[in-house]
Amino acid sequence: MTRATVKLKKGEGRTLKAGGMWVYDNEIDTIQGTYTNGDVVSIHDFDDYFMGYGFINTRSKITVRLLARKKDTIIDEAFMEQRVRAAWNYRKETIDTSSCRVIFGEADFLPGLVIDKFSDVLVVESLALGIDKWKLVIVDALKKVLAEDGVTIRGVYERSDAKVRLQEGMERYKGFIGEPFDTKVEIIENGVKYIVDVEDGQKTGFFLDQKNNRAAIHRFCKDKKVLDCFTHTGSFALNAGVAGAASVLGVDASQLAVDQATENARLNHLEDRVRFVCADVFELLPELEASKESFDVVILDPPAFTKSRNSIKNAVKGYREINIRGLKLVRDGGYLVTCSCSHFMDPELFAKTIREAANGAHKRLRQVEFRTQGCDHPILWAADQSYYLKFYIFQVCEER
Protein backbone atom coordinates (compact mmCIF):
# COMPACT_ATOMS: atom_id res chain seq x y z
CA MET A 1 0.00 0.00 0.00
CA THR A 2 1.47 3.36 -1.06
CA ARG A 3 1.37 6.08 1.57
CA ALA A 4 2.39 9.69 1.66
CA THR A 5 5.41 10.43 3.83
CA VAL A 6 5.62 13.18 6.43
CA LYS A 7 9.23 14.23 6.97
CA LEU A 8 10.15 16.13 10.13
CA LYS A 9 12.50 19.06 10.42
CA LYS A 10 15.92 18.44 11.92
CA GLY A 11 15.71 18.71 15.70
CA GLU A 12 11.93 18.27 15.79
CA GLY A 13 9.82 15.30 16.87
CA ARG A 14 11.28 15.25 20.37
CA THR A 15 7.90 14.53 21.95
CA LEU A 16 7.16 11.76 19.47
CA LYS A 17 10.56 10.18 20.09
CA ALA A 18 9.94 10.27 23.84
CA GLY A 19 6.69 8.33 23.48
CA GLY A 20 4.21 11.05 22.56
CA MET A 21 1.41 10.62 20.04
CA TRP A 22 1.21 13.92 18.14
CA VAL A 23 3.11 15.72 15.38
CA TYR A 24 2.40 19.45 15.17
CA ASP A 25 2.32 21.47 11.96
CA ASN A 26 5.45 23.46 12.86
CA GLU A 27 7.50 20.24 13.23
CA ILE A 28 6.98 19.17 9.61
CA ASP A 29 9.48 19.85 6.84
CA THR A 30 7.81 18.22 3.83
CA ILE A 31 4.88 15.96 2.91
CA GLN A 32 5.77 13.74 -0.04
CA GLY A 33 3.23 11.81 -2.09
CA THR A 34 -0.52 12.09 -2.56
CA TYR A 35 -3.00 11.91 0.28
CA THR A 36 -6.42 13.04 1.47
CA ASN A 37 -6.86 14.47 4.94
CA GLY A 38 -7.77 11.61 7.25
CA ASP A 39 -5.50 9.12 5.43
CA VAL A 40 -2.77 7.10 7.11
CA VAL A 41 0.74 8.40 6.35
CA SER A 42 4.22 7.28 7.35
CA ILE A 43 6.32 9.53 9.57
CA HIS A 44 10.07 9.88 9.02
CA ASP A 45 12.75 11.87 10.78
CA PHE A 46 14.86 14.41 8.87
CA ASP A 47 17.34 11.63 7.97
CA ASP A 48 14.56 9.33 6.66
CA TYR A 49 14.53 7.17 9.82
CA PHE A 50 11.07 5.56 10.08
CA MET A 51 9.11 6.73 13.16
CA GLY A 52 5.59 5.37 12.68
CA TYR A 53 2.22 5.58 10.99
CA GLY A 54 -0.49 8.07 11.76
CA PHE A 55 -3.58 9.93 10.55
CA ILE A 56 -2.88 13.19 8.72
CA ASN A 57 -5.03 16.32 8.77
CA THR A 58 -3.37 19.50 7.51
CA ARG A 59 -6.34 21.57 8.70
CA SER A 60 -5.37 20.84 12.31
CA LYS A 61 -2.38 22.13 14.28
CA ILE A 62 -2.04 18.50 15.39
CA THR A 63 -1.25 17.47 11.84
CA VAL A 64 -0.45 13.79 12.47
CA ARG A 65 -1.86 11.56 15.21
CA LEU A 66 0.22 8.44 15.74
CA LEU A 67 -1.34 5.00 15.25
CA ALA A 68 1.58 2.57 15.25
CA ARG A 69 5.38 2.57 15.55
CA LYS A 70 6.26 -0.76 13.91
CA LYS A 71 7.09 -0.59 10.23
CA ASP A 72 5.44 -3.93 9.37
CA THR A 73 2.07 -2.85 10.81
CA ILE A 74 -0.93 -3.10 8.48
CA ILE A 75 -3.69 -0.61 9.32
CA ASP A 76 -6.91 -2.49 8.53
CA GLU A 77 -10.05 -3.82 10.20
CA ALA A 78 -8.09 -6.56 11.97
CA PHE A 79 -5.72 -3.91 13.37
CA MET A 80 -8.64 -1.89 14.75
CA GLU A 81 -10.22 -4.97 16.29
CA GLN A 82 -6.93 -5.86 17.99
CA ARG A 83 -6.76 -2.37 19.53
CA VAL A 84 -10.38 -2.61 20.71
CA ARG A 85 -9.82 -6.07 22.18
CA ALA A 86 -6.73 -4.89 24.09
CA ALA A 87 -8.67 -1.92 25.49
CA TRP A 88 -11.56 -4.12 26.69
CA ASN A 89 -9.24 -6.75 28.20
CA TYR A 90 -7.47 -3.99 30.15
CA ARG A 91 -10.79 -2.72 31.56
CA LYS A 92 -11.86 -6.21 32.59
CA GLU A 93 -8.67 -6.54 34.64
CA THR A 94 -8.75 -3.12 36.28
CA ILE A 95 -12.29 -1.79 36.87
CA ASP A 96 -15.98 -2.58 37.22
CA THR A 97 -17.09 -2.68 33.59
CA SER A 98 -20.85 -2.34 34.14
CA SER A 99 -20.31 1.32 33.21
CA CYS A 100 -16.87 2.53 32.19
CA ARG A 101 -14.82 4.26 29.52
CA VAL A 102 -13.88 1.52 27.06
CA ILE A 103 -11.81 3.59 24.63
CA PHE A 104 -9.77 6.60 25.80
CA GLY A 105 -8.18 8.00 22.67
CA GLU A 106 -4.40 8.18 22.58
CA ALA A 107 -4.08 6.23 25.84
CA ASP A 108 -5.64 3.24 24.04
CA PHE A 109 -3.67 3.96 20.85
CA LEU A 110 -6.86 4.98 19.02
CA PRO A 111 -6.23 8.73 18.76
CA GLY A 112 -9.16 11.11 18.94
CA LEU A 113 -11.80 8.52 19.88
CA VAL A 114 -13.73 8.12 23.11
CA ILE A 115 -16.30 5.38 23.75
CA ASP A 116 -18.17 5.14 27.04
CA LYS A 117 -20.28 2.17 28.09
CA PHE A 118 -23.35 2.92 30.21
CA SER A 119 -24.86 -0.45 31.11
CA ASP A 120 -25.98 -1.77 27.69
CA VAL A 121 -25.51 1.48 25.74
CA LEU A 122 -22.38 2.83 24.02
CA VAL A 123 -21.71 6.54 23.55
CA VAL A 124 -19.16 7.50 20.90
CA GLU A 125 -17.23 10.78 20.73
CA SER A 126 -15.06 11.22 17.64
CA LEU A 127 -12.72 14.21 17.78
CA ALA A 128 -10.30 13.69 14.89
CA LEU A 129 -10.83 13.26 11.15
CA GLY A 130 -8.70 10.16 10.69
CA ILE A 131 -10.38 8.10 13.40
CA ASP A 132 -13.79 9.40 12.28
CA LYS A 133 -13.40 7.44 9.06
CA TRP A 134 -12.93 4.26 11.10
CA LYS A 135 -15.50 4.81 13.85
CA LEU A 136 -18.18 2.47 12.45
CA VAL A 137 -15.60 -0.29 11.99
CA ILE A 138 -14.42 0.26 15.57
CA VAL A 139 -17.97 0.26 16.97
CA ASP A 140 -18.76 -3.00 15.18
CA ALA A 141 -15.52 -4.52 16.48
CA LEU A 142 -16.33 -3.44 20.02
CA LYS A 143 -19.84 -4.91 19.87
CA LYS A 144 -18.31 -8.18 18.61
CA VAL A 145 -15.69 -8.26 21.40
CA LEU A 146 -18.28 -7.47 24.07
CA ALA A 147 -20.64 -10.14 22.75
CA GLU A 148 -17.90 -12.73 23.20
CA ASP A 149 -18.12 -11.94 26.94
CA GLY A 150 -21.92 -12.14 26.93
CA VAL A 151 -22.41 -8.36 26.88
CA THR A 152 -25.23 -7.30 24.55
CA ILE A 153 -25.36 -3.67 23.41
CA ARG A 154 -28.90 -2.42 22.76
CA GLY A 155 -27.94 0.90 21.27
CA VAL A 156 -25.15 3.26 20.22
CA TYR A 157 -25.35 7.05 20.35
CA GLU A 158 -22.83 9.49 18.92
CA ARG A 159 -21.92 12.65 20.86
CA SER A 160 -19.40 14.19 18.47
CA ASP A 161 -20.65 17.69 19.26
CA ALA A 162 -17.54 19.14 20.93
CA LYS A 163 -16.18 22.43 19.58
CA VAL A 164 -12.74 20.88 19.05
CA ARG A 165 -14.10 19.15 15.93
CA LEU A 166 -14.23 22.55 14.25
CA GLN A 167 -10.44 22.77 14.60
CA GLU A 168 -10.23 19.54 12.60
CA GLY A 169 -12.39 21.00 9.81
CA MET A 170 -15.28 18.78 10.92
CA GLU A 171 -18.88 19.62 11.73
CA ARG A 172 -20.31 19.02 15.18
CA TYR A 173 -22.74 16.12 15.19
CA LYS A 174 -24.88 13.97 17.45
CA GLY A 175 -27.33 11.22 16.69
CA PHE A 176 -27.97 7.49 16.70
CA ILE A 177 -25.59 4.97 15.17
CA GLY A 178 -28.05 2.29 14.17
CA GLU A 179 -31.60 1.96 15.45
CA PRO A 180 -33.05 4.61 17.83
CA PHE A 181 -33.54 3.69 21.49
CA ASP A 182 -34.47 5.28 24.83
CA THR A 183 -31.53 7.59 25.58
CA LYS A 184 -32.27 7.76 29.33
CA VAL A 185 -30.13 4.94 30.71
CA GLU A 186 -30.12 3.71 34.31
CA ILE A 187 -26.71 2.76 35.70
CA ILE A 188 -25.43 1.74 39.14
CA GLU A 189 -22.04 2.94 40.40
CA ASN A 190 -20.71 2.49 43.96
CA GLY A 191 -24.21 1.38 44.95
CA VAL A 192 -25.74 4.63 43.66
CA LYS A 193 -28.36 4.64 40.90
CA TYR A 194 -28.33 7.31 38.18
CA ILE A 195 -30.36 8.14 35.13
CA VAL A 196 -27.82 9.06 32.46
CA ASP A 197 -29.06 11.22 29.60
CA VAL A 198 -26.71 10.23 26.79
CA GLU A 199 -28.44 12.53 24.29
CA ASP A 200 -28.55 15.83 26.19
CA GLY A 201 -26.25 15.39 29.21
CA GLN A 202 -22.81 17.01 29.35
CA LYS A 203 -20.08 15.38 27.25
CA THR A 204 -21.14 11.72 26.84
CA GLY A 205 -23.82 12.04 29.53
CA PHE A 206 -21.98 11.27 32.78
CA PHE A 207 -18.48 11.76 34.20
CA LEU A 208 -17.13 8.25 34.71
CA ASP A 209 -13.60 9.42 35.55
CA GLN A 210 -14.47 10.18 39.20
CA LYS A 211 -15.90 6.71 39.98
CA ASN A 212 -13.21 5.64 42.47
CA ASN A 213 -12.89 9.17 43.86
CA ARG A 214 -16.59 9.27 44.64
CA ALA A 215 -16.21 6.00 46.52
CA ALA A 216 -13.29 7.50 48.48
CA ILE A 217 -15.53 10.06 50.24
CA HIS A 218 -17.85 7.43 51.73
CA ARG A 219 -15.81 6.75 54.83
CA PHE A 220 -15.97 10.26 56.26
CA CYS A 221 -19.50 11.37 55.26
CA LYS A 222 -21.56 9.33 57.72
CA ASP A 223 -23.73 11.58 59.93
CA LYS A 224 -22.06 14.67 58.41
CA LYS A 225 -23.35 17.90 56.88
CA VAL A 226 -22.06 18.03 53.29
CA LEU A 227 -21.88 20.73 50.62
CA ASP A 228 -21.31 19.56 47.04
CA CYS A 229 -20.44 22.39 44.62
CA PHE A 230 -20.73 22.06 40.83
CA THR A 231 -22.74 18.91 41.50
CA HIS A 232 -23.82 18.34 37.86
CA THR A 233 -26.28 15.43 38.12
CA GLY A 234 -25.52 14.92 41.80
CA SER A 235 -22.85 12.23 41.78
CA PHE A 236 -20.73 13.30 44.79
CA ALA A 237 -23.82 14.46 46.71
CA LEU A 238 -25.56 11.13 46.19
CA ASN A 239 -22.47 9.18 47.23
CA ALA A 240 -22.41 11.22 50.44
CA GLY A 241 -26.10 10.44 50.95
CA VAL A 242 -25.67 6.71 50.36
CA ALA A 243 -22.72 6.79 52.79
CA GLY A 244 -25.09 8.04 55.51
CA ALA A 245 -24.66 11.81 55.54
CA ALA A 246 -27.10 13.63 57.79
CA SER A 247 -27.75 16.28 55.15
CA VAL A 248 -26.37 17.16 51.73
CA LEU A 249 -26.73 20.34 49.70
CA GLY A 250 -25.78 20.09 46.03
CA VAL A 251 -25.29 23.23 43.93
CA ASP A 252 -25.11 23.69 40.17
CA ALA A 253 -25.68 26.61 37.78
CA SER A 254 -27.67 24.44 35.36
CA GLN A 255 -31.36 23.95 36.11
CA LEU A 256 -31.38 20.89 33.84
CA ALA A 257 -28.56 19.35 35.89
CA VAL A 258 -30.35 20.19 39.17
CA ASP A 259 -33.57 18.59 37.88
CA GLN A 260 -31.66 15.45 36.89
CA ALA A 261 -29.87 15.37 40.26
CA THR A 262 -33.19 15.70 42.09
CA GLU A 263 -34.58 12.82 40.02
CA ASN A 264 -31.51 10.75 40.93
CA ALA A 265 -32.04 11.52 44.63
CA ARG A 266 -35.60 10.19 44.40
CA LEU A 267 -34.33 7.12 42.54
CA ASN A 268 -32.07 6.36 45.53
CA HIS A 269 -34.72 7.29 48.15
CA LEU A 270 -32.51 10.10 49.41
CA GLU A 271 -34.81 13.07 48.81
CA ASP A 272 -35.27 13.57 52.57
CA ARG A 273 -31.52 14.14 53.14
CA VAL A 274 -30.10 15.24 49.77
CA ARG A 275 -31.41 18.40 48.10
CA PHE A 276 -30.22 20.49 45.19
CA VAL A 277 -30.37 24.18 44.30
CA CYS A 278 -29.67 26.04 41.08
CA ALA A 279 -27.17 28.81 41.81
CA ASP A 280 -23.83 30.29 40.80
CA VAL A 281 -21.33 28.71 43.20
CA PHE A 282 -19.10 31.81 43.17
CA GLU A 283 -22.07 33.89 44.35
CA LEU A 284 -23.59 31.36 46.75
CA LEU A 285 -20.50 30.54 48.83
CA PRO A 286 -19.97 34.13 50.08
CA GLU A 287 -23.67 34.22 50.98
CA LEU A 288 -23.35 31.01 52.99
CA GLU A 289 -20.27 32.41 54.73
CA ALA A 290 -22.08 35.68 55.55
CA SER A 291 -24.97 33.73 57.08
CA LYS A 292 -22.49 31.81 59.31
CA GLU A 293 -23.13 28.48 57.62
CA SER A 294 -20.54 25.73 58.00
CA PHE A 295 -20.15 22.16 56.84
CA ASP A 296 -18.31 19.00 57.86
CA VAL A 297 -17.42 18.23 54.25
CA VAL A 298 -17.12 20.64 51.30
CA ILE A 299 -16.68 19.18 47.81
CA LEU A 300 -15.41 21.31 44.90
CA ASP A 301 -15.64 19.61 41.51
CA PRO A 302 -15.69 22.53 39.04
CA PRO A 303 -15.62 22.30 35.25
CA ALA A 304 -12.31 23.01 33.59
CA PHE A 305 -11.64 26.72 34.13
CA THR A 306 -9.19 26.63 31.21
CA LYS A 307 -8.88 24.61 28.03
CA SER A 308 -5.76 26.37 26.76
CA ARG A 309 -2.45 27.68 28.05
CA ASN A 310 -3.49 31.22 27.11
CA SER A 311 -6.13 31.46 29.84
CA ILE A 312 -4.21 29.72 32.63
CA LYS A 313 -3.76 32.90 34.72
CA ASN A 314 -7.49 33.51 34.93
CA ALA A 315 -8.03 29.83 35.70
CA VAL A 316 -5.59 30.01 38.62
CA LYS A 317 -7.55 32.97 40.02
CA GLY A 318 -10.78 30.99 39.70
CA TYR A 319 -9.39 27.89 41.43
CA ARG A 320 -7.82 30.03 44.17
CA GLU A 321 -11.03 31.91 44.86
CA ILE A 322 -13.28 28.87 44.91
CA ASN A 323 -10.93 27.05 47.27
CA ILE A 324 -10.67 30.04 49.62
CA ARG A 325 -14.46 30.27 49.73
CA GLY A 326 -14.84 26.53 50.23
CA LEU A 327 -12.21 26.37 52.98
CA LYS A 328 -13.92 29.12 54.95
CA LEU A 329 -17.07 26.98 55.11
CA VAL A 330 -15.35 23.86 56.50
CA ARG A 331 -15.62 23.32 60.24
CA ASP A 332 -12.43 22.77 62.22
CA GLY A 333 -11.44 19.14 61.67
CA GLY A 334 -13.74 18.79 58.68
CA TYR A 335 -12.77 17.86 55.13
CA LEU A 336 -12.21 19.61 51.83
CA VAL A 337 -12.49 17.56 48.64
CA THR A 338 -11.12 19.58 45.74
CA CYS A 339 -10.19 18.78 42.17
CA SER A 340 -9.29 20.12 38.75
CA CYS A 341 -10.16 18.46 35.45
CA SER A 342 -8.10 20.86 33.34
CA HIS A 343 -5.10 19.30 31.60
CA PHE A 344 -3.38 22.71 31.54
CA MET A 345 -3.68 23.09 35.32
CA ASP A 346 -0.75 20.78 35.95
CA PRO A 347 -0.33 19.00 39.30
CA GLU A 348 2.37 21.37 40.58
CA LEU A 349 0.39 24.49 39.70
CA PHE A 350 -2.82 23.08 41.20
CA ALA A 351 -1.03 22.19 44.45
CA LYS A 352 0.51 25.67 44.59
CA THR A 353 -2.91 27.25 44.05
CA ILE A 354 -4.48 25.22 46.87
CA ARG A 355 -1.59 26.15 49.17
CA GLU A 356 -2.20 29.83 48.41
CA ALA A 357 -5.93 29.39 49.03
CA ALA A 358 -5.27 27.80 52.42
CA ASN A 359 -3.05 30.74 53.37
CA GLY A 360 -5.73 33.16 52.19
CA ALA A 361 -8.37 31.40 54.26
CA HIS A 362 -6.04 31.11 57.30
CA LYS A 363 -6.48 27.32 57.39
CA ARG A 364 -4.03 24.46 57.77
CA LEU A 365 -4.37 21.45 55.49
CA ARG A 366 -3.55 17.84 56.29
CA GLN A 367 -3.51 15.76 53.13
CA VAL A 368 -5.58 12.60 53.37
CA GLU A 369 -5.32 11.44 49.77
CA PHE A 370 -4.20 12.48 46.31
CA ARG A 371 -5.85 10.67 43.44
CA THR A 372 -6.23 10.98 39.67
CA GLN A 373 -8.76 9.79 37.11
CA GLY A 374 -10.13 6.26 37.18
CA CYS A 375 -8.04 3.53 35.60
CA ASP A 376 -10.51 3.25 32.72
CA HIS A 377 -9.08 6.66 31.76
CA PRO A 378 -5.44 5.44 31.75
CA ILE A 379 -2.60 7.92 31.81
CA LEU A 380 -0.18 7.14 29.00
CA TRP A 381 3.24 8.32 30.12
CA ALA A 382 4.98 10.64 27.67
CA ALA A 383 1.58 11.47 26.14
CA ASP A 384 0.58 13.90 28.85
CA GLN A 385 -2.68 14.97 27.19
CA SER A 386 -4.16 11.83 28.76
CA TYR A 387 -3.44 13.12 32.31
CA TYR A 388 -5.90 15.76 33.38
CA LEU A 389 -7.71 15.00 36.66
CA LYS A 390 -6.18 15.96 40.02
CA PHE A 391 -8.17 15.07 43.15
CA TYR A 392 -7.31 15.90 46.75
CA ILE A 393 -8.89 15.12 50.10
CA PHE A 394 -7.70 17.32 52.97
CA GLN A 395 -8.55 17.59 56.63
CA VAL A 396 -8.98 21.28 57.38
CA CYS A 397 -7.69 22.69 60.67
CA GLU A 398 -7.94 26.13 62.18
CA GLU A 399 -4.64 27.90 62.87
CA ARG A 400 -3.10 26.47 66.04
Side-chain angles (χ1 to χ4, degrees), residues 218-284:
H218 282 218
R219 64 186 183 276
F220 53 82
C221 284
K222 185 173 176 57
D223 300 324
K224 300 296 175 59
K225 183 180 178 182
V226 179
L227 174 65
D228 178 22
C229 301
F230 311 97
T231 191
H232 188 223
T233 53
S235 55
F236 275 106
L238 294 169
N239 274 268
V242 164
S247 68
V248 184
L249 174 62
V251 185
D252 200 275
S254 164
Q255 187 61 56
L256 174 62
V258 165
D259 291 343
Q260 291 175 328
T262 301
E263 181 183 1
N264 286 332
R266 286 194 292 266
L267 187 65
N268 289 278
H269 308 293
L270 292 171
E271 61 269 32
D272 59 328
R273 291 183 289 120
V274 182
R275 68 183 182 91
F276 299 94
V277 297
C278 183
D280 184 318
V281 172
F282 283 93
E283 295 176 359
L284 180 64

Side-chain angles (χ1 to χ4, degrees), residues 340-361:
S340 167
C341 62
S342 171
H343 161 69
F344 295 100
M345 191 75 175
D346 64 48
E348 293 76 17
L349 183 56
F350 188 49
K352 178 176 180 286
T353 303
I354 295 171
R355 190 179 305 116
E356 290 170 352
N359 291 336

Side-chain angles (χ1 to χ4, degrees), residues 66-317:
L66 190 73
L67 269 173
R69 293 179 184 271
K70 294 182 179 179
K71 196 169 186 177
D72 60 353
T73 300
I74 299 172
I75 310 297
D76 57 8
E77 293 187 5
F79 170 87
M80 295 298 175
E81 182 179 320
Q82 183 275 330
R83 288 284 160 95
V84 166
R85 190 176 298 279
W88 175 243
N89 287 340
Y90 164 78
R91 269 73 182 178
K92 288 193 298 181
E93 293 171 352
T94 58
I95 202 162
D96 165 29
T97 58
S98 58
S99 292
C100 68
R101 177 152 293 182
V102 185
I103 305 292
F104 186 42
E106 281 76 358
D108 283 304
F109 310 103
L110 289 168
L113 185 69
V114 167
I115 302 181
D116 285 344
K117 175 182 176 292
F118 298 109
S119 186
D120 56 356
V121 165
L122 299 178
V123 182
V124 178
E125 184 180 33
S126 171
L127 301 174
L129 181 62
I131 205 74
D132 201 68
K133 294 184 174 184
W134 286 90
K135 70 187 173 190
L136 297 183
V137 169
I138 293 170
V139 167
D140 286 343
L142 180 55
K143 290 166 74 173
K144 172 188 172 183
V145 169
L146 292 173
E148 291 172 3
D149 280 338
V151 179
T152 301
I153 296 301
R154 70 177 171 90
V156 183
Y157 196 83
E158 183 169 1
R159 285 295 305 271
S160 299
D161 51 349
K163 289 182 180 179
V164 71
R165 276 175 66 97
L166 302 176
Q167 298 171 18
E168 290 276 312
M170 304 162 68
E171 293 183 356
R172 299 165 75 180
Y173 173 80
K174 69 178 194 176
F176 294 99
I177 295 178
E179 292 299 314
F181 57 94
D182 183 357
T183 54
K184 299 288 183 68
V185 185
E186 182 174 326
I187 68 169
I188 301 176
E189 177 195 274
N190 302 333
V192 182
K193 297 177 182 178
Y194 303 92
I195 298 296
V196 176
D197 185 348
V198 302
E199 181 176 9
D200 294 319
Q202 288 187 32
K203 300 272 185 151
T204 60
F206 186 78
F207 296 109
L208 292 163
D209 51 3
Q210 295 269 31
K211 177 187 293 188
N212 296 335
N213 301 340
R214 289 189 277 263
I217 73 167
H218 282 218
R219 64 186 183 276
F220 53 82
C221 284
K222 185 173 176 57
D223 300 324
K224 300 296 175 59
K225 183 180 178 182
V226 179
L227 174 65
D228 178 22
C229 301
F230 311 97
T231 191
H232 188 223
T233 53
S235 55
F236 275 106
L238 294 169
N239 274 268
V242 164
S247 68
V248 184
L249 174 62
V251 185
D252 200 275
S254 164
Q255 187 61 56
L256 174 62
V258 165
D259 291 343
Q260 291 175 328
T262 301
E263 181 183 1
N264 286 332
R266 286 194 292 266
L267 187 65
N268 289 278
H269 308 293
L270 292 171
E271 61 269 32
D272 59 328
R273 291 183 289 120
V274 182
R275 68 183 182 91
F276 299 94
V277 297
C278 183
D280 184 318
V281 172
F282 283 93
E283 295 176 359
L284 180 64
L285 295 195
E287 293 173 8
L288 292 173
E289 182 187 351
S291 61
K292 306 299 182 185
E293 281 278 8
S294 63
F295 297 85
D296 300 298
V297 181
V298 172
I299 301 165
L300 304 175
D301 182 21
F305 288 159
T306 178
K307 295 186 178 180
S308 73
R309 296 192 191 280
N310 296 333
S311 57
I312 193 68
K313 287 185 178 179
N314 286 333
V316 168
K317 291 178 182 177

